[in-house]
């Protein structure tokens, strides 16, 4: 590290935390909008007169928007100043949620979700690099984790709160609320994120192709999609499962989502610590445990106490792998394609969302074809794929 970088490191510590807070607030708004339809599927499907499975497209369609948007827009906007880009993304986010709140038809709602999703993918890919640049080099992964807490806290509080608002005042109120959150995030970024951010070296499409031809990175992206996405086969249809299979009334739903969110938060903290030393080994065991829990949920779902315990455990392991998967990809990119770490990070955000899309899509087929109760074990089959691929990548990396 040269002396210039060292003095920069010293100054970063002072300005870093408020800016990280601003990023976390925006991440909270974005995370809430991604997952809040999970709690509102029944409400939206009743209101718009569509099936639960069609309403499920609000999650898989959004995830596809993130997956498409993240790598493409990260490359296209590489010359735009980071702060300007951050502000523009929040504008897109606010407009998308306002359109969703005002949609009279399912088609318009779906399009609004798809547009909002474009801001999501690129926000997390540039947000992660901004967060890493705000702190000294040895605190980088903690800074990224801190920004992602916004996403985690969204699952803990944003989604149950959004569900509660949606059940009390109608689902449109929830999207209005999220648009206001976006406004707060944008104001916080305007005030707290410094103008003089280090500009990322523009990454060309040829750099992106380099990543897509690296076998180990492709393996890592597949692990992300299967390991993270497997849970969404069941999670997307968790509320109908709780109401129709376990027999909880809708007023319990927000409380159960709150408990699920708490489990997610605990899992995220454990996951961050557990994957610091050896991400691959830790991830392998996390996926094994998640696979077992999903199989158990299939048998526990009809019973209230057993079902709740299984759902809490599902939440615990569902996001435990997130810090590890992100660190794994950054490590592999630094090792094999150091010029395109940013893009690798963006592609991994895309992989998370491809996983969500595949998971919720398969879940929809299962619900229509064989019934809600089968979603957890089908998710376990996806996670089993991640177990196998993680074992394979471990063998390659230890050779």
């Amino acid at each position: 590290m040269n002396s210039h970088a060292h003095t920069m490191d010293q100054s970063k510590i002072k300005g870093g935390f408020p800016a990280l807070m601003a990023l976390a607030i925006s991440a909270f708004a974005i995370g809430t909008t991604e997952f809040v339809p999970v709690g509102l599927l029944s409400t939206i499907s009743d209101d718009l007169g569509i099936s639960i499975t069609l309403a499920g497209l609000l999650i898989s369609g959004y995830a596809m928007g993130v997956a498409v948007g993240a790598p493409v827009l990260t490359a296209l906007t590489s010359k735009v100043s980071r702060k300007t880009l951050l502000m523009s993304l929040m504008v897109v986010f606010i407009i998308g949620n306002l359109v969703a709140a005002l949609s009279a038809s399912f088609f318009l709602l779906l399009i609004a979700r798809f547009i909002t999703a474009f801001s999501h993918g690129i926000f997390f890919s540039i947000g992660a690099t901004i967060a890493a640049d705000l702190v000294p080099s040895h605190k980088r992964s903690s800074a990224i984790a801190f920004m992602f807490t916004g996403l985690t806290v969204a699952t803990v509080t944003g989604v149950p709160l959004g569900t509660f608002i949606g059940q009390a005042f109608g689902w449109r109120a929830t999207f209005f609320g999220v648009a206001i959150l976006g406004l707060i995030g944008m104001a916080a970024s305007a005030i707290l994120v410094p103008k003089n951010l280090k500009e990322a070296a523009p990454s060309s499409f040829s750099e992106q192709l380099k990543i897509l031809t690296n076998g180990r990175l492709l393996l890592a992206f597949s692990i992300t999609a299967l390991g993270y996405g497997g849970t969404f086969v069941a999670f997307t249809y968790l509320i109908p499962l709780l109401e129709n299979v376990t027999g909880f009334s809708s007023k319990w739903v927000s409380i159960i989502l709150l408990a699920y969110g708490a489990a997610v938060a605990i899992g995220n903290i454990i996951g961050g610590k557990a994957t610091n030393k050896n991400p691959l080994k830790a991830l392998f065991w996390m996926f094994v445990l998640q696979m077992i829990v999903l199989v158990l949920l299939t048998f526990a779902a009809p019973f209230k106490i057993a079902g709740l315990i299984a759902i809490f455990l599902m939440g615990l392991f569902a996001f435990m792998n997130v810090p590890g998967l992100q660190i794994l990809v950054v490590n592999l990119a630094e090792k094999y394609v150091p010029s395109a770490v940013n893009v690798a990070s963006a592609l991994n955000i895309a992989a998370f969302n491809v996983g969500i899309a595949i998971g919720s899509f398969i879940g929809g087929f299962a619900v229509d074809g064989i019934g809600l109760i089968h979603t957890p074990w089908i998710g376990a089959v996806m996670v089993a794929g991640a177990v196998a691929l993680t074992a394979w990548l471990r063998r390659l990396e230890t050779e």
Side-chain angles (χ1 to χ4, degrees):
M1 202 205 295
N2 60 28
S3 60
H4 170 65
H6 186 71
T7 49
M8 268 184 69
D9 261 8
Q10 295 306 313
S11 66
K12 277 176 186 175
I13 304 167
K14 290 198 262 310
F17 185 70
L20 280 176
M21 254 336 272
L23 289 173
I25 293 168
S26 298
F28 174 73
I30 291 174
T32 301
T33 213
E34 173 161 37
F35 298 131
V36 82
V38 167
L40 300 173
L41 282 192
S42 310
T43 320
I44 292 173
S45 70
D46 291 347
D47 184 53
L48 296 176
I50 52 169
S51 71
I52 279 276
T53 319
L54 193 58
L57 282 177
L58 293 173
I59 292 149
S60 48
Y62 183 95
M64 284 320 295
V66 179
V68 173
V72 175
L73 292 175
T74 302
L76 291 178
T77 54
S78 63
K79 292 192 170 61
V80 181
S81 105
R82 303 289 88 179
K83 183 157 182 177
T84 311
L85 185 55
L86 206 57
M87 302 281 96
S88 320
L89 291 177
M90 292 319 285
V91 171
V92 172
F93 176 83
I94 293 160
I95 293 169
N97 279 295
L98 286 175
V99 173
L102 299 166
S103 330
S105 71
F106 178 70
F107 182 67
L108 184 59
L109 179 57
L110 195 57
I111 288 178
R113 296 279 297 157
F114 196 73
I115 291 166
T116 313
F118 266 50
S119 63
H120 177 129
I122 185 166
F123 173 85
F124 282 104
S125 69
I126 69 152
T129 57
I130 291 174
D133 284 342
L134 287 167
V135 295
S137 45
H138 64 278
K139 291 214 170 112
R140 280 174 64 184
S141 81
S142 300
I144 294 173
F146 184 80
M147 185 196 81
F148 275 96
T149 31
L151 199 54
T152 322
V153 174
T155 17
V156 184
T157 55
V159 174
L161 192 64
T163 303
F164 175 73
I165 290 170
Q167 285 175 346
F169 306 103
W171 59 269
R172 289 185 170 81
T174 304
F175 286 111
F176 273 123
V178 175
I180 293 167
L181 276 178
L183 208 56
I184 296 168
M186 185 173 157
S189 294
I191 299 162
L192 301 171
V193 174
K195 277 199 190 68
N196 56 345
L197 289 168
K198 189 176 92 194
E199 296 307 320
S203 60
S204 60
F205 278 107
S206 61
E207 295 293 346
Q208 296 201 26
L209 289 175
K210 230 187 261 177
I211 291 174
L212 294 175
T213 52
N214 182 291
R216 294 179 190 199
L217 274 163
L218 289 179
L219 253 181
F221 296 144
S222 309
I223 291 168
T224 295
L226 290 171
Y228 183 73
T231 305
F232 280 81
V233 181
F235 180 61
T236 305
Y237 298 97
L238 182 61
I239 307 311
L241 185 79
L242 285 168
E243 290 176 0
N244 304 336
V245 177
T246 321
F248 281 103
S249 67
S250 61
K251 65 168 183 287
W252 276 94
V253 164
S254 299
I255 300 166
I256 294 167
L257 278 173
L258 204 62
Y260 180 88
V264 163
I266 297 165
N268 205 32
I269 295 164
I270 298 170
K273 291 194 164 51
T275 45
N276 267 340
K277 285 197 187 77
N278 187 341
L280 277 168
K281 182 180 173 187
L283 285 167
F284 176 80
W285 290 109
M286 286 173 195
F287 292 141
V288 168
L289 290 166
Q290 179 67 327
M291 181 176 71
I292 294 167
V293 167
L294 284 167
V295 173
L296 289 175
L297 178 59
T298 309
F299 297 103
F303 310 99
K304 287 191 171 154
I305 303 288
L308 284 182
I309 293 170
I311 284 163
F312 186 81
L313 288 172
M314 174 174 96
L316 189 67
F317 293 114
F319 284 67
M320 195 182 275
N321 53 42
V322 174
L325 288 165
Q326 205 59 9
I327 288 165
L328 172 67
V329 165
V330 169
N331 288 350
L332 287 171
E334 283 175 345
K335 193 164 157 187
Y336 300 110
V337 273
S339 56
V341 175
N342 267 5
V343 185
S345 168
L347 283 169
N348 203 39
I349 303 289
F352 278 114
N353 285 278
V354 168
I356 294 172
I358 295 170
S360 52
F361 203 69
I362 291 174
F365 272 113
V367 171
D368 277 353
I370 49 179
L372 278 162
I373 186 73
H374 296 282
T375 51
W377 72 260
I378 294 170
V381 174
M382 263 179 84
V383 180
V387 172
L389 294 180
T390 309
W392 184 20
L393 185 55
R394 265 178 89 181
R395 213 173 66 232
L396 287 176
E397 282 293 288
T398 47
E399 268 170 14

